[in-house]
Amino acid sequence: MSDLSTLLAFLAAIFVLILLIARFKVHPVATLFIVVVSLGLVLGMGGAATIELVKEGFGSTLASVGLLVIFGCVLGKMLELSGAAMKITDTALRMFAEKRVPWAIALASTILGIPLIADTAVVMLIPIVSALAYRTGISMMRLGPILYLGAYVMTSVVPPGPGPLASASLLEVPMGEAILYGLMVGVPGVLAATLYLSRIKTYVPPKPEFVEHLVNAGGSAGGGGSDATADNGTDAPRVGLFGSLVPILAPIVLIVFASLTAPVLPEGSWITGLVLFLGEPTLALFLACLLALPLFRGRWRDKETLNDLFESGLRIAAMPLALTGVGGALATIIRETGVAESVAGSIEGTGMSPIIIPFLVAAAVCSITGSNILGVMTSAAIMQPLIPSLDLSPLVVYLACATGAQIMKHANSSGFWVTTTLSNMTVGQGIRSIGIASLISGVTGFAVLYSMIALGVV
């Protein structure tokens, strides 16, 4: 098929996917599978090859994020049932006025997004955010996407995120500059996206499984900060703020420490191996689950804690895992057709302003493949040999790729499905919130970059 026919087939597939889910209420997993297989057949990949790619995409996606989602959901359930989520919720409500809760979540997410991928930040903190939504009456269509967007933007623009780290290395941008200037274009994007999301009027309640302990304790939605402490259930063990924060902060510290120290430690030494082992995100999250056990005090040995609680976390993880896996299959089918490269090549040949080219290349790759990490890495690889002819500095190209790679999250993205599902939103609500907010963050970051170029800052 021609490049144009391939692109039209992809756009038609996305339209059918959204139509089946939003209009005809077909289950998202079944819809995604139908669309993925149909797209492979339409693009001439053949039945057997299509199924093989579907299985390959499903398996590789779950291999990379599956255990992260599972351990993140288990940790979230442990924070909820131990009373830790309640303690953090109460503290947050005392520190911030109700109308500022979205900004508090944005700040926390932005910090978490530097060492963690956005999906992990969501599955770790969604129980806390859901409790905040229940207590304040703020829609999950605001809070869930805000939780995701802060981390998503940082994962796109600031090392040690895998995409920015690889792109900065490829373009030979010093890591200090990549972090500093990445924050300069990333933070305004978070602010603009949060401003948009905080003004959404549609009310979406939190998922019942995240707030059933509040309902059973007699809590009421819309209670605000003054009612937070009064609504605590008497059955939950009394936990301190420090103990409640340790399971959340410990994996962040381990991952950041490994990212910062491993490059300067002796290669091949036992201490380097230990640091990298403990800082591996999957292991760090599992260790966080172990660190949450003392929150249950004497009950940590009970079957309800060691077995039943883990199964509760697995039940929460089931839907995001299925959607993430099939979404990964869709991204694999699309990548195998060469659509991303064709679109990038077409943009490159238009003769437009040089700084716009890496931005649009990254935006095209991210929108088509569903991966901001792939967007920034692919666009950097495409642009690296063109830097001399375009008369752009490597730092400028890096920042243009990083801001463009945020555009835009929709139904072929694992982060979109994780956030939409755990925030109790429909696909349409996810596109109106996550999709538009990611577009706003990327455009805002690029506008800041353009201003920095005009002022001679970069």
Side-chain angles (χ1 to χ4, degrees):
M1 297 180 68
S2 66
D3 290 345
L4 178 60
S5 299
T6 300
L7 182 58
L8 290 176
F10 165 74
L11 295 175
I14 296 300
F15 174 78
V16 170
L17 184 147
I18 296 173
L19 182 67
L20 288 176
I21 296 175
R23 176 67 178 84
F24 296 102
K25 311 301 181 186
V26 181
H27 194 279
V29 174
T31 301
L32 272 170
F33 182 77
I34 292 170
V35 168
V36 169
V37 173
S38 300
L39 184 60
L41 295 175
V42 169
L43 294 177
M45 303 186 71
T50 296
I51 296 300
E52 282 302 313
L53 279 177
V54 169
K55 292 190 293 185
E56 176 188 331
F58 187 93
S60 62
T61 302
L62 290 188
S64 61
V65 303
L67 286 175
L68 283 172
V69 172
I70 290 173
F71 292 147
C73 287
V74 170
L75 178 60
K77 199 66 178 178
M78 294 179 79
L79 293 173
E80 171 196 330
L81 296 182
S82 67
M86 185 70 65
K87 181 66 177 181
I88 296 171
T89 301
D90 292 343
T91 303
L93 288 176
R94 286 196 297 267
M95 291 177 61
F96 297 93
E98 178 178 326
K99 63 181 180 180
R100 295 179 181 174
V101 164
W103 295 99
I105 294 173
L107 174 61
S109 177
T110 300
I111 296 172
L112 287 172
I114 295 176
L116 299 177
I117 62 172
D119 303 38
T120 302
V122 171
V123 297
M124 279 182 63
L125 297 183
I126 199 68
I128 298 171
V129 171
S130 297
L132 283 168
Y134 181 83
R135 289 177 173 277
T136 62
I138 300 175
S139 174
M140 283 301 295
M141 194 172 170
R142 295 184 187 181
L143 300 188
I146 288 174
L147 172 62
Y148 176 70
L149 256 295
Y152 172 69
V153 172
M154 291 298 106
T155 303
S156 303
V157 301
V158 178
L165 187 64
S167 301
S169 300
L170 177 65
L171 298 172
E172 299 182 356
V173 177
M175 287 299 155
E177 291 186 8
I179 293 172
L180 175 62
Y181 290 100
L183 288 171
M184 292 176 67
V185 300
V187 171
V190 174
L191 294 175
T194 302
L195 187 64
Y196 163 75
L197 290 168
S198 64
R199 280 160 172 70
I200 289 179
K201 302 297 183 183
T202 305
Y203 179 73
V204 175
K207 289 179 74 69
E209 54 261 44
F210 289 134
V211 296
E212 59 188 359
H213 60 297
L214 297 176
V215 176
N216 294 336
S220 58
S226 61
D227 295 329
T229 304
D231 289 340
N232 279 333
T234 57
D235 293 335
R238 296 182 179 275
V239 295
L241 179 62
F242 177 78
S244 301
L245 289 173
V246 164
I248 296 175
L249 297 179
I252 299 172
V253 172
L254 289 173
I255 294 169
V256 172
F257 184 75
S259 300
L260 297 179
T261 61
V264 300
L265 291 174
E267 186 175 351
S269 69
W270 70 269
I271 186 66
T272 304
L274 179 62
V275 168
L276 291 175
F277 177 65
L278 295 177
E280 204 286 321
T282 301
L283 180 65
L285 269 179
F286 180 72
L287 292 176
C289 293
L290 298 182
L291 290 172
L293 287 175
L295 295 171
F296 293 87
R297 300 181 184 271
R299 293 193 295 139
W300 76 267
R301 303 180 186 87
D302 297 346
K303 174 180 176 293
E304 290 76 9
T305 302
L306 295 177
N307 184 279
D308 298 353
L309 189 147
F310 201 94
E311 289 188 357
S312 298
L314 286 175
R315 283 193 291 271
I316 296 174
M319 177 65 80
L321 283 174
L323 291 172
T324 298
V326 184
L330 174 60
T332 300
I333 290 287
I334 292 168
R335 284 197 297 269
E336 288 297 318
T337 64
V339 175
E341 290 79 2
S342 299
V343 173
S346 300
I347 294 173
E348 180 188 332
T350 60
M352 63 184 66
S353 175
I355 186 58
I356 299 176
I357 294 175
F359 173 78
L360 291 182
V361 169
V365 173
C366 178
S367 296
I368 292 171
T369 65
S371 171
N372 59 319
I373 295 174
L374 187 63
V376 66
M377 292 175 61
T378 302
S379 57
I382 292 172
M383 297 306 302
Q384 193 271 339
L386 301 176
I387 288 178
S389 61
L390 293 177
D391 194 28
L392 295 172
S393 73
L395 176 61
V396 168
V397 173
Y398 166 76
L399 295 174
C401 293
T403 53
Q406 299 169 38
I407 301 173
M408 65 175 276
K409 304 305 282 185
H410 58 89
N412 66 342
S413 162
S414 63
F416 175 90
W417 287 113
V418 167
T419 308
T420 298
T421 304
L422 297 182
S423 298
N424 204 26
M425 295 189 294
T426 65
V427 173
Q429 290 167 341
I431 292 175
R432 284 173 50 205
S433 56
I434 301 168
I436 300 301
S438 63
L439 176 64
I440 291 173
S441 69
V443 171
T444 300
F446 183 71
V448 172
L449 171 59
Y450 213 94
S451 300
M452 291 166 61
I453 295 173
L455 295 173
V457 177
V458 292

